[in-house]
């Protein structure tokens, strides 16, 4: 089944403790992206990647890092999480130049 | 600055009603306008999309109306059902930097009561 898989689904952590949210897709998509969803703000892009070793900032990149060492994986790294990063995070992928995005099921992160 | 403004924030209708969700945009470079449907605990899924060269698109009970001069588009759900209860996001896309960047509206939480 074609899908985007995120792990974990739920995560509670403390301020300053580094964490990684994994994202993997099995559709051979070149393009991958991370979004955060907050009430009243919709989905905002954090980082995106056009292909292996090619990443760039989205609209709200502060406090996040990403890497794209393999085509299928695009982990989101929070080096020193803060409470304002409490949110629902989604990974998405698509073929290059394609408008159709496939989203993962989300990771609900709480930073206390 | 919100490039895609969506309203209402929430909407309650009775089964069989026709909920309408509206979106407005500013950037005339946008050339693709999708709607995403999100159920609790799931990621957004593409529902229907339109390009600015047409004024209306129907897929089953879902219709997008598009007004290019007013820079507005809306989603209509005919004969709504309780199973349509979800959060709906409008979005707009333009090709920039080698990919299609999606800008989302704030979302509308729809509840369809039996």
């Amino acid at each position: 089944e074609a899908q985007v898989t995120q792990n974990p689904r739920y995560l509670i952590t403390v301020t300053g403790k580094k964490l990684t949210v994994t994202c993997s897709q099995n559709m051979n998509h070149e393009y991958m992206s991370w979004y955060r969803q907050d009430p009243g703000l919709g989905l905002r892009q954090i980082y995106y990647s056009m292909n292996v070793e090619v990443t760039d900032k989205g609209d709200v990149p502060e406090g996040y890092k990403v890497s794209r060492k393999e085509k299928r994986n695009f982990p989101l790294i929070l080096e020193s999480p803060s409470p304002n990063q409490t949110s629902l995070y989604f990974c998405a992928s698509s073929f290059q130049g394609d408008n159709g995005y496939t989203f993962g099921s989300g990771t609900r992160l709480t930073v206390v | 600055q919100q490039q895609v403004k969506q309203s209402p924030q929430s909407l309650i209708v009775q089964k069989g009603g026709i909920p309408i969700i509206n979106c407005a945009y500013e950037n005339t470079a946008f050339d693709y306008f999708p709607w995403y449907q999100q159920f609790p605990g799931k990621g957004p899924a593409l529902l229907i999309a339109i390009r600015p060269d047409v004024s209306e698109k129907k897929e089953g009970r879902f219709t997008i109306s598009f007004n290019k001069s007013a820079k507005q588009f809306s989603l209509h759900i005919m004969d709504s059902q309780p199973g349509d209860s979800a959060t709906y996001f409008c979005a707009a896309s333009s090709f920039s930097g080698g990919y299609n960047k999606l800008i989302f509206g704030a979302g509308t939480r729809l509840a369809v009561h039996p």
Side-chain angles (χ1 to χ4, degrees), chain B residues 18 21 26 35 47 57 61 71 74 81 83 85 96 109:
Chain B
I18 306 176
I21 305 170
E26 290 294 326
W35 286 88
L47 182 64
K57 183 174 182 180
R61 296 184 293 107
K71 292 188 283 187
S74 59
Q81 302 296 312
S85 298
S96 171
R109 183 170 291 184

Side-chain angles (χ1 to χ4, degrees), chain A residues 75-89:
Chain A
L76 179 68
I77 303 156
L78 285 72
E79 294 269 1
S80 183
S82 62
N84 65 11
Q85 293 179 296
T86 293
S87 187
L88 180 57
Y89 292 86

Side-chain angles (χ1 to χ4, degrees), chain B residues 6-20:
Chain B
Q6 183 173 346
S7 63
Q9 195 170 9
S10 62
L11 189 54
I12 301 173
V13 300
Q14 294 297 123
K15 177 182 174 182
I18 306 176
I20 300 173

Side-chain angles (χ1 to χ4, degrees), chain B residues 12-68:
Chain B
I12 301 173
V13 300
Q14 294 297 123
K15 177 182 174 182
I18 306 176
I20 300 173
I21 305 170
N22 300 298
C23 285
Y25 65 96
E26 290 294 326
N27 187 350
T28 55
F30 290 142
D31 59 3
Y32 177 77
F33 301 88
W35 286 88
Y36 280 78
Q37 181 187 53
Q38 183 184 30
F39 292 107
K42 301 291 186 183
L46 180 63
L47 182 64
I48 185 174
I50 196 168
R51 292 197 180 273
D53 52 347
V54 297
S55 61
E56 185 176 277
K57 183 174 182 180
K58 290 183 180 181
E59 286 186 4
R61 296 184 293 107
F62 300 91
T63 298
I64 300 179
S65 297
F66 187 83
N67 186 329
K68 188 174 181 178

Side-chain angles (χ1 to χ4, degrees), chain A residues 9-10 31 35 37-45 48 50 57-59 88 90 96-106, chain B residues 2-3 9 31-32 34 36 38 41-46 51 87 89 93 95-107:
Chain A
R9 290 295 309 275
Y10 301 92
Y31 175 79
Y35 290 85
Q37 181 179 346
D38 300 289
L41 296 176
L43 292 104
R44 295 178 292 165
Q45 190 182 51
Y48 66 93
M50 303 265 283
K57 297 177 180 178
D59 299 315
L88 180 57
F90 288 100
Q96 193 78 317
D98 188 2
N99 282 295
Y101 285 30
T102 301
F103 282 83
S105 294
Chain B
Q2 198 168 18
Q3 296 189 49
Q9 195 170 9
D31 59 3
Y32 177 77
Y36 280 78
Q38 183 184 30
K42 301 291 186 183
L46 180 63
R51 292 197 180 273
T87 299
F89 293 96
S93 169
F95 193 75
S96 171
Y99 77 104
N100 291 294
K101 181 181 174 76
L102 269 181
I103 305 294
F104 286 88

